[in-house]
Amino acid sequence: MKRQKGISLIAVAVIMGVLGAAAAFALISMRQERNLFAVGLDKARAKAAEVTAPAATPAAPLRKCVINGKTVVSNTDCAGQGKVIEIHDTRGVEAPKAPPKPAPEVPQGATDRAIERATR
């Protein structure tokens, strides 16, 4: 009896199942506008960092990084990843200034009063 050489039907089914699951996972990731692959990788890195990092960390500069698929600014959660942010002090949002007060009324002359009466 001759046997087929190559990949068995079961192996092909398993490979196609894995590829289909990866494609479905990517589509779900796109629908939620998050990169779930990067989130999973970040979680794996965080667990590895917990094992190797000491318990107390000194104060660090603010950094912009992605945590759980969301961009955040933190000095503790980024753990040395991301871009360091420079802080600039500003005044913030200022209240609108009051409009200037109208000039005090000057007594009108006879001509101005006549024009005012004619236009009413």
Side-chain angles (χ1 to χ4, degrees), residues 2 6-8 15 20 24 27-29 33 35 38-40 58 60 65 70 74 78 83 86 104 106-107 110 118-119:
K2 287 188 173 182
I7 300 174
S8 71
I15 291 170
L27 289 173
I28 291 169
S29 177
E33 295 180 1
N35 187 351
V39 171
C65 64
K70 296 179 183 176
S74 175
C78 291
K83 181 179 177 184
E86 294 180 19
V106 223
T119 57

Side-chain angles (χ1 to χ4, degrees), residues 31-83:
R31 182 176 182 203
Q32 293 178 354
E33 295 180 1
R34 294 174 52 192
N35 187 351
L36 296 176
F37 294 110
V39 171
L41 185 62
D42 287 342
K43 285 183 181 179
R45 285 183 185 165
K47 287 190 179 191
E50 283 179 14
V51 171
T52 59
T57 57
L62 285 178
R63 293 179 180 271
K64 181 179 179 182
C65 64
V66 178
I67 297 176
N68 295 331
K70 296 179 183 176
T71 302
V72 296
V73 176
S74 175
N75 65 340
T76 57
D77 294 337
C78 291
Q81 300 172 353
K83 181 179 177 184

Side-chain angles (χ1 to χ4, degrees), residues 96-116:
K97 296 182 180 179
K101 294 182 180 178
E105 291 187 26
V106 223
Q108 294 180 346
T111 312
D112 292 331
R113 279 185 273 165
I115 293 172
E116 185 73 29

